[in-house]
Amino acid sequence: MKPAKFDYVAPTTVDAAVEALRAANGEGKVLAGGQSLLPLLNFRMTRPAVLVDLNGIRELSFIELRGDRVAIGALTRHREIEQSPLIASKLPVMAAAMRHVAHLAIRNRGTIGGSLSHADPAAELPMLSLLYSASLSVQGPSGRRTIAAEDFFVDALTNCLEPEDIVVEIEFPILQQNGWAFEEVARRFGDFALASIAVSVRRGASTIKDARVAVMGVADTPLRLKEVEGQLRGIAIDDQMPDRFSELVTSSVSANGDLHASAEYRQHLLGQLARRAMQTALAAESDRR
Amino acid sequence: MSATVSVTVNGTKYDVQDVEPRLLLSDFLRDMLGLTGTHVGCEHGVCGACTVLVNGDSVRSCLMLAIQANGAEITTVEGLGTPETLNVLQAQFREHHGLQCGFCTPGMLMTGEDLLRKYPLATDDEIREGLSGNLCRCTGYQNIVAAIRAAAGKRAETVP
């Protein structure tokens, strides 16, 4: 199908974009990479009166190191993140996940701000924003404010923003880690995940000092499993550790089912992926798959 | 509301007036420029048949507005080679019978072009991963993969 009629504005500053959204009086939509919005427009599942295209705002596209954080502009394309040496060295879990983000042609257009705002419960970047406890800088009519990723995702395809708000940039703290893994199963490569897990660990000689765990595809939003993280702290590293981790994860999550996969199957996948992820996270760097 | 769209497609400059903002790039190429080599399958970014290169990157032309392509350089399947002089990838598609009904072929070729530029394509797994966003309803994937593998081999021969 084709989109219904809309007016189109292409501002060159964030201020002008917010003003255009305010003027649209709740009938405006932000167009970033368009890889989720255009299908919705083509199906006429959304019919905004005004489309505010951010692609002319150059200052929204960047990846930069800020002390112990990496800041990424909202309009930065997935492909740029996939290729970035800075992301590869400072945010390796994200770097590993990027090739699972849809397909090359989608990654060439899709943006991080768009993916987070779309808030798909089975998309990689929303889950990673939880893993890293990222903070989103958002601009609205009353200025800029910062929203923690854990407060951002409200429900499936629903974030906490007002209609006039625009995500401007996202800051990812660099994790103190010496082991990590990203695992995902999708029906076809590049599809949204049936289940996925990201793990980061900081380990001592024989125990886990600290850990981060996030999952997706099993609930209405991605989840950070803080309870499991607490249970991992101080736990002994031995051959049974990946199995124990798998049990901790599956006992803390109750997967949703849908037409793509039953709840039981997703729960099973999550357990398997958790075991595999911990094996990888604990493996020596040279043994990584 | 309408606008003028100025684009360079396959080396030719076009200035098209009265373009509605809602016109998709795929329809712009086919209906306004008459370049019907770009095929429209699903029109929601799943099948990959409408893939073209915009400023050198493969994109789904059904997921981009024509108005957003203003000032861009676009390559469609018509810009790859001619029937007399196929480009390297097209020649390998012919050599390996990398098509059956031909509907998905323009998207496969344009995706293949981008993959050949951006990835080593050292293994079939990598080629299949790269093609995962392009559907062939004839299920003729084996020969498409073989064609791209062969084109990657030719590229390795020519690149010093």
Side-chain angles (χ1 to χ4, degrees):
Chain A
M1 267 173 64
K2 316 294 179 189
K5 283 195 177 188
F6 51 77
D7 285 340
Y8 171 88
V9 287
T12 53
T13 65
V14 179
D15 287 349
V18 170
E19 175 53 28
L21 284 172
R22 203 195 50 72
N25 207 10
E27 298 286 313
K29 272 260 181 227
V30 174
L31 172 60
Q35 303 302 288
S36 301
L37 180 58
L38 262 289
L40 294 171
L41 288 172
N42 289 357
F43 281 130
R44 302 195 179 192
M45 288 165 77
T46 181
R47 302 172 69 133
V50 183
L51 218 53
V52 180
D53 187 348
L54 303 187
N55 285 278
I57 309 179
R58 296 276 158 80
E59 72 204 50
L60 291 186
S61 184
F62 62 87
I63 301 172
E64 66 181 38
L65 186 61
R66 288 185 194 157
D68 58 357
R69 297 169 157 245
V70 175
I72 306 179
L75 205 71
T76 307
R77 316 265 174 205
H78 300 323
R79 172 73 189 155
E80 296 168 64
I81 297 174
E82 181 187 359
Q83 281 181 301
S84 162
L86 183 64
I87 298 290
S89 69
K90 301 297 182 189
L91 307 177
V93 192
M94 180 182 293
M98 289 315 292
R99 67 190 252 277
H100 294 269
V101 178
H103 315 287
L104 178 58
I106 306 275
R107 293 198 292 274
N108 282 335
R109 287 293 295 170
T111 68
I112 185 168
S115 175
L116 295 179
S117 299
H118 190 59
D120 193 294
E124 289 79 7
L125 286 165
M127 176 176 82
L128 291 169
S129 72
L130 291 182
L131 182 83
Y132 283 100
S133 56
S135 48
L136 293 84
S137 179
V138 170
Q139 187 165 332
S142 51
R144 285 205 188 185
R145 65 190 193 279
T146 302
I147 301 173
E150 63 178 330
D151 299 324
F152 188 76
F153 306 103
V154 176
D155 204 344
L157 307 176
T158 308
N159 62 43
C160 70
L161 299 181
E162 299 298 327
E164 301 83 19
D165 288 337
I166 296 172
V167 176
V168 177
E169 63 170 46
I170 307 96
E171 276 196 349
F172 292 84
I174 297 164
L175 297 176
Q176 297 300 310
Q177 62 186 9
N178 49 16
W180 57 270
F182 174 89
E183 293 286 346
E184 172 173 321
V185 169
R187 304 258 324 219
R188 290 163 297 269
F189 196 91
D191 272 11
F192 285 108
L194 291 181
S196 177
I197 186 167
V199 175
S200 164
V201 296
R202 187 167 60 86
R203 55 177 181 158
S206 60
T207 59
I208 299 287
K209 299 273 189 204
D210 211 354
R212 295 273 182 110
V213 183
V215 299
M216 67 166 174
V218 291
D220 290 335
T221 67
L223 303 173
R224 181 160 161 213
L225 305 183
K226 286 189 176 173
E227 204 176 304
V228 173
E229 293 173 6
Q231 290 161 326
L232 286 175
R233 219 159 285 138
I235 204 170
I237 300 171
D238 55 27
D239 289 349
Q240 283 78 50
M241 162 67 184
D243 285 334
R244 276 212 304 284
F245 176 63
S246 172
E247 283 162 27
L248 289 176
V249 169
T250 49
S251 60
S252 74
V253 172
S254 174
N256 289 346
D258 63 14
L259 81 167
H260 299 297
S262 66
E264 292 76 15
Y265 182 52
R266 286 177 194 265
Q267 192 81 13
H268 171 78
L269 280 180
L270 190 62
Q272 297 295 319
L273 294 180
R275 177 181 299 109
R276 209 183 284 173
M278 190 53 79
Q279 282 165 349
T280 304
L282 296 178
E285 197 62 29
S286 56
D287 294 337
R288 291 191 72 88
R289 288 183 299 123
Chain B
M1 191 177 183
S2 62
T4 298
V5 172
S6 302
V7 286
T8 304
V9 184
N10 304 330
T12 305
K13 186 124 187 343
Y14 298 86
D15 292 293
V16 183
Q17 290 172 359
D18 297 325
V19 176
E20 266 196 281
R22 63 170 168 164
L23 186 70
L24 301 175
L25 178 59
S26 46
D27 291 332
F28 175 84
L29 293 169
R30 290 176 56 84
D31 300 342
M32 303 196 86
L33 305 188
L35 295 169
T36 53
T38 298
H39 290 174
V40 173
C42 71
E43 218 159 46
H44 63 286
V46 172
C47 78
C50 69
T51 305
V52 300
L53 303 182
V54 176
N55 297 329
D57 291 323
S58 59
V59 306
R60 304 221 190 294
S61 60
C62 76
L63 295 189
M64 192 169 162
L65 302 170
I67 201 169
Q68 293 185 288
N70 191 34
E73 277 202 32
I74 295 173
T75 307
T76 67
V77 69
E78 289 94 338
L80 292 184
T82 65
E84 294 73 34
T85 51
L86 299 176
N87 86 350
V88 172
L89 184 58
Q90 288 172 314
Q92 292 310 316
F93 266 65
R94 181 167 69 181
E95 182 69 24
H96 292 272
H97 192 59
L99 69 161
Q100 292 180 32
C101 83
F103 190 86
C104 71
T105 312
M108 291 289 181
L109 287 168
M110 302 319 287
T111 301
E113 286 292 323
D114 200 17
L115 290 174
L116 286 166
R117 290 176 203 183
K118 289 180 177 164
Y119 294 96
L121 303 182
T123 65
D124 279 8
D125 279 354
E126 203 184 345
I127 295 170
R128 287 173 186 279
E129 188 180 314
L131 284 178
S132 59
N134 291 68
L135 304 182
C136 168
R137 294 293 73 188
C138 308
T139 69
Y141 296 107
Q142 297 284 5
N143 291 349
I144 295 170
V145 171
I148 292 179
R149 185 197 308 132
K154 297 269 177 205
R155 176 194 57 181
E157 284 169 22
T158 54
V159 176

